[in-house]
Amino acid sequence: SVHHFNITGVTITAPSDSPNTDGIKMGSCSNIHISNTNIGTGDDCIAILSGTTNLDISNVKCGPRHGICVGSLGKNKDEKDVKDLTIRDIVFNGTSDGIRIKTWESSASKILVSNFVYENIQMIDVEKAINIDQKYCPHPPCEHEKKGESHVQIQDIKLKNIYGTSKNKLAVNLQCSKSFPCKN
Ligand SMILES: *[C@@H]1O[C@H](CO)[C@@H](O)[C@H](O)[C@H]1NC(C)=O
Ligand SMILES: *[C@@H]1O[C@H](CO)[C@@H](O)[C@H](O)[C@H]1NC(C)=O
């Protein structure tokens, strides 16, 4: 885990068809600032995993490939809350998703995802601009599938001034847990 760490003025590239090439991936981290950074890879632009708190991302360009993703969360035991994220002044250009939160169905961990602010975000031809997916199961059937709904509680998420174009008809997908519905 990493605490009090800043990344600024960095460019990260990988071919868009290269698998598992996340730009920045972090878990169990706190007080991280990422700014003035360009990321275009074959996987997530930025991936935010279990136990990450106090993260500030600003002036970042993402694309091609995936967007800024929280998760996947909830699959394993002993995962920790993800909270206090500010993500602002971002351009997603030609990505498959922009704002994304994904949690496994019927998760082993009962954790909280809370207090996020997404602000001033431009989408250019993004496939799924805003995507909360609490039925994440990349390779069905999932081991957890039969046990029910995600136990990850998503709450206090603010989306402000999100604009641009989406590639799909469905720009905003909110698929929240039936057991722990998204709040506020
Ligand atoms: C990181 O940047 C923030 C905001 O500019 C600053 O307050 C903080 O002290 C910096 N931290 C480090 C470890 O440089
Ligand atoms: C978006 O990406 C396309 C294709 O790479 C590029 O031509 C265009 O300038 C980019 N737009 C912005 C606003 O960065």
Side-chain angles (χ1 to χ4, degrees):
S1 58
V2 173
H3 308 282
H4 299 280
F5 191 86
N6 290 355
I7 297 171
T8 191
V10 172
T11 297
I12 300 169
T13 57
S16 63
D17 60 355
S18 54
N20 295 316
T21 51
D22 290 332
I24 299 173
K25 184 172 195 170
M26 70 195 109
S28 305
C29 290
S30 72
N31 297 293
I32 310 281
H33 289 248
I34 299 170
S35 59
N36 304 312
T37 287
N38 285 330
I39 303 172
T41 66
D43 206 329
D44 287 330
C45 175
I46 300 176
I48 299 154
L49 299 174
S50 160
T52 298
T53 62
N54 278 299
L55 170 63
D56 188 295
I57 300 175
S58 64
N59 293 297
V60 171
K61 281 190 179 174
C62 289
R65 263 317 193 207
H66 302 318
I68 297 182
C69 185
V70 175
S72 62
L73 293 174
K75 185 184 186 187
N76 303 308
K77 274 185 187 167
D78 305 321
E79 288 189 27
K80 301 276 189 307
D81 295 349
V82 177
K83 55 186 185 179
D84 305 320
L85 264 58
T86 303
I87 297 177
R88 62 197 151 85
D89 303 310
I90 309 292
V91 179
F92 292 104
N93 189 355
T95 52
S96 64
D97 35 75
I99 294 165
R100 186 180 193 191
I101 302 174
K102 60 184 185 190
T103 78
W104 289 76
E105 288 193 308
S106 183
S107 19
S109 284
K110 187 171 180 290
I111 57 170
L112 201 60
V113 167
S114 69
N115 197 26
F116 290 7
V117 178
Y118 294 93
E119 193 171 10
N120 303 334
I121 298 191
Q122 183 179 9
M123 306 281 179
I124 304 169
D125 285 336
V126 175
E127 281 171 35
K128 294 177 181 172
I130 298 169
N131 187 17
I132 294 182
D133 177 8
Q134 295 212 261
K135 281 191 169 294
Y136 182 65
C137 172
H139 311 291
C142 285
E143 188 190 330
H144 308 286
E145 216 167 30
K146 292 188 194 77
K147 295 185 211 151
E149 296 284 326
S150 177
H151 288 185
V152 177
Q153 173 74 65
I154 297 176
Q155 67 180 50
D156 301 306
I157 309 290
K158 201 179 279 184
L159 301 168
K160 260 169 90 174
N161 193 28
I162 318 291
Y163 61 98
T165 53
S166 85
K167 229 178 197 170
N168 292 351
K169 280 188 183 171
L170 185 66
V172 180
N173 179 45
L174 305 180
Q175 189 166 35
C176 294
S177 167
K178 289 194 176 86
S179 307
F180 297 90
C182 302
K183 283 202 296 207
N184 301 324

